[in-house]
Amino acid sequence: MSSKKGFFCMNTLKQFDAFAKPLEEVQIKTVWGGIVSLVCFLTIVFLMVSNLVEYLDNTPTEELFVDTSRNKKLQINFDIVVPKISCDFLVLDAVDNSGETHLQVDHNIYKRRLNLEGQPISDPEKSDDVGSKKTLNPPSMLKSNETDDANNTEDICGSCYGAESSTIPCCNTCDDVKRAYKMKNWDFRPSSIEQCKNQSSQNEMYDKAFKEGCQLYGTLLVNRVSGSFHIAPGMSFSFNHMHVHDVHPFSSSSFNTTHTIRHLSFGQKLESINTSHGGNPLDSTESIAGEGATMFQYYIKIVPTLYQRRDLSIFSTNQFSVTKHKVQAFDKGPSGAPGIFFSYEFSPIMIKLTEKPRLLGHLFTQFLCNISGVFICFWIIDIFMYKVSKVYNIRKKQLPNSNN
């Protein structure tokens, strides 16, 4: 009785055998089996290579969400070459929608003189240092309360001959007096102005105006609101709520604003974003002015971006798209001027880029899954094809017998 129960238990356990032993006929090698095995091997190799490429891929994943950040400042990084206008005649101005205006920006801005072939002819100089070299400080223009004492530490302030204002409180150069007179809408006569009597340095500046080029580069810190900045020839000032560039003694059509944008970015510079997203769209771009008084306009859409690395450190930067437009300055009316103008605005959507973690154990698991899964699938295909071919051969053998 006990032997019968044991036999019954053994038969029951056999029903749960997931590793059934192959039959003798399954061990037969066939042509179809060789083809299926070769395809199976190539499929496994293809999937393993795909997994390895995915493992080595550094492309971060992207997420989109509404930008709720409250950063107060925006850093603009630029490097622009103007090959046909000297550094003495180029100024950088910035205006934003909050009403803040920066004229002749010189903080963290550098200028390098170039020859007409684009080769440097001097070391880079800060923009404010360049301006200070042109400043005239004649002793006869000192205020009455200032002395010639060598220990006097007060700044020298030249007279504007009654045209002083909160914008131009001092006139130490001929250009300062000219700007002050323009703001008052007075007639300007250089022959009667002390600052304009010594014109040797200015004549030299005028002489090389179109015999040199200039490279301007540095960083500009502005409010994190929509705004604009531009590089244009001539002294800039505000007159009757208008932004004006005085290019005296030349005309606007004399200035060729052909330029090369070597680099332009907003925020922190991250090589990983530049590599994976094609870089900054304006880097190494050249724009040629076919005639004078050309106004180049770049309309930029800034997309705030967060970049999270594998070590969970997060960097805040920006990506941007740009649309370029070129017009004659005279076609823009009183607001037109030759130069390079950048207008930017912010997108309300922020992008978060996250570097994917690369785990060796995950790669190993994928290898095992691919090998086992593909092998089982092709094993089933091989069994099916063998059964079909076996049935076909049996029927083929039966056909002559049926004809007899």
Side-chain angles (χ1 to χ4, degrees):
M1 190 70 178
S2 58
S3 60
K4 289 183 178 181
K5 290 183 178 180
F7 179 76
F8 177 77
C9 292
M10 294 296 290
N11 288 335
T12 303
L13 290 175
K14 287 181 180 181
Q15 303 302 320
F16 294 96
D17 186 2
F19 303 97
K21 308 307 179 285
L23 301 174
E24 292 294 333
E25 60 183 9
V26 180
Q27 299 178 9
I28 299 174
K29 294 184 178 181
T30 63
V31 176
W32 281 107
I35 296 174
V36 171
S37 299
L38 182 60
V39 175
C40 175
F41 173 75
L42 294 177
T43 304
I44 291 175
V45 172
F46 172 75
L47 292 177
M48 291 180 67
V49 171
S50 300
N51 290 334
L52 183 61
V53 171
E54 183 181 358
Y55 173 77
L56 298 176
D57 185 17
N58 292 325
T59 304
T61 58
E62 296 186 1
E63 300 178 63
L64 299 178
F65 52 90
V66 177
D67 181 17
T68 58
S69 59
R70 294 293 181 269
N71 297 332
K72 294 183 179 180
K73 294 293 182 179
L74 171 68
Q75 177 179 310
I76 304 175
N77 314 297
F78 67 92
D79 185 354
I80 300 175
V81 174
V82 184
K84 297 185 178 181
I85 304 176
S86 70
C87 292
D88 294 330
F89 274 87
L90 291 175
V91 296
L92 172 67
D93 301 329
V95 181
D96 60 52
N97 289 352
S98 67
E100 188 170 333
T101 301
H102 303 274
L103 299 180
Q104 303 176 44
V105 180
D106 53 28
H107 185 63
N108 291 331
I109 306 300
Y110 294 86
K111 293 181 177 181
R112 176 186 279 135
R113 294 169 57 201
L114 308 174
N115 59 24
L116 294 180
E117 287 72 37
Q119 301 299 321
I121 58 178
S122 69
D123 294 330
E125 297 178 339
K126 289 199 71 173
S127 183
D128 52 355
D129 294 337
V130 174
S132 64
K133 292 183 180 180
K134 299 183 293 182
T135 302
L136 303 177
N137 297 310
S140 59
M141 304 309 298
L142 297 178
K143 287 184 177 181
S144 60
N145 62 346
E146 295 178 342
T147 67
D148 292 331
D149 187 358
N151 296 326
N152 186 7
T153 59
E154 294 184 7
D155 294 334
I156 297 176
C157 182
S159 172
C160 294
Y161 303 93
E164 294 88 349
S165 64
S166 58
T167 305
I168 307 178
C170 302
C171 297
N172 295 326
T173 67
C174 184
D175 286 334
D176 291 341
V177 179
K178 180 170 59 177
R179 289 172 55 203
Y181 270 52
K182 279 186 174 294
M183 294 184 67
K184 294 288 186 178
N185 203 19
W186 292 356
D187 185 26
F188 178 70
R189 297 180 180 179
S191 58
S192 61
I193 304 300
E194 183 70 23
Q195 289 92 323
C196 299
K197 290 182 179 180
N198 184 7
Q199 293 287 336
S200 59
S201 60
Q202 291 189 356
N203 291 336
E204 180 183 355
M205 180 179 68
Y206 296 151
D207 182 62
K208 66 181 182 181
F210 308 115
K211 296 180 180 179
E212 293 183 1
C214 186
Q215 176 187 4
L216 296 92
Y217 66 95
T219 58
L220 180 63
L221 203 62
V222 296
N223 293 326
R224 196 176 180 274
V225 295
S226 300
S228 64
F229 67 97
H230 60 265
I231 296 173
M235 189 71 66
S236 60
F237 57 93
S238 296
F239 178 69
N240 289 339
H241 304 288
M242 292 183 60
H243 187 79
V244 181
H245 281 263
D246 182 10
V247 295
H248 181 81
F250 305 104
S251 63
S252 297
S253 58
S254 301
F255 293 91
N256 188 323
T257 52
T258 296
H259 62 279
T260 300
I261 301 177
R262 300 180 61 185
H263 175 75
L264 179 66
S265 62
F266 300 85
Q268 298 185 63
K269 300 179 183 178
L270 292 178
E271 293 298 330
S272 50
I273 291 183
N274 293 339
T275 302
S276 60
H277 287 70
N280 298 306
L282 285 177
D283 284 6
S284 303
T285 59
E286 182 180 10
S287 299
I288 299 177
E291 50 188 332
T294 301
M295 186 176 184
F296 292 93
Q297 297 173 303
Y298 296 89
Y299 299 97
I300 297 173
K301 191 76 168 183
I302 299 177
V303 182
T305 304
L306 292 179
Y307 193 90
Q308 180 174 325
R309 291 179 172 172
R310 293 186 182 89
D311 59 2
L312 300 183
S313 59
I314 298 179
F315 294 88
S316 177
T317 184
N318 300 278
Q319 300 179 81
F320 67 93
S321 61
V322 61
T323 301
K324 178 181 174 182
H325 189 51
K326 179 174 72 171
V327 297
Q328 286 299 110
F330 306 113
D331 296 339
K332 301 288 288 187
S335 60
I340 309 159
F341 295 78
F342 300 89
S343 299
Y344 57 88
E345 61 179 4
F346 286 87
S347 169
I349 301 299
M350 174 177 283
I351 296 178
K352 183 178 181 181
L353 303 174
T354 306
E355 290 185 348
K356 296 180 293 186
R358 296 188 292 182
L359 302 177
L360 186 60
H362 181 63
L363 177 65
F364 183 70
T365 302
Q366 285 184 318
F367 282 171
L368 293 180
C369 292
N370 289 334
I371 293 173
S372 59
V374 173
F375 181 80
I376 291 174
C377 290
F378 278 89
W379 178 64
I380 295 174
I381 294 174
D382 179 65
I383 292 177
F384 175 76
M385 294 183 67
Y386 176 77
K387 294 292 186 182
V388 171
S389 64
K390 187 176 179 180
V391 172
Y392 174 77
N393 290 332
I394 292 174
R395 291 187 176 181
K396 187 177 181 181
K397 291 180 181 180
Q398 292 176 351
L399 284 176
N401 296 332
S402 62
N403 293 333
N404 292 335

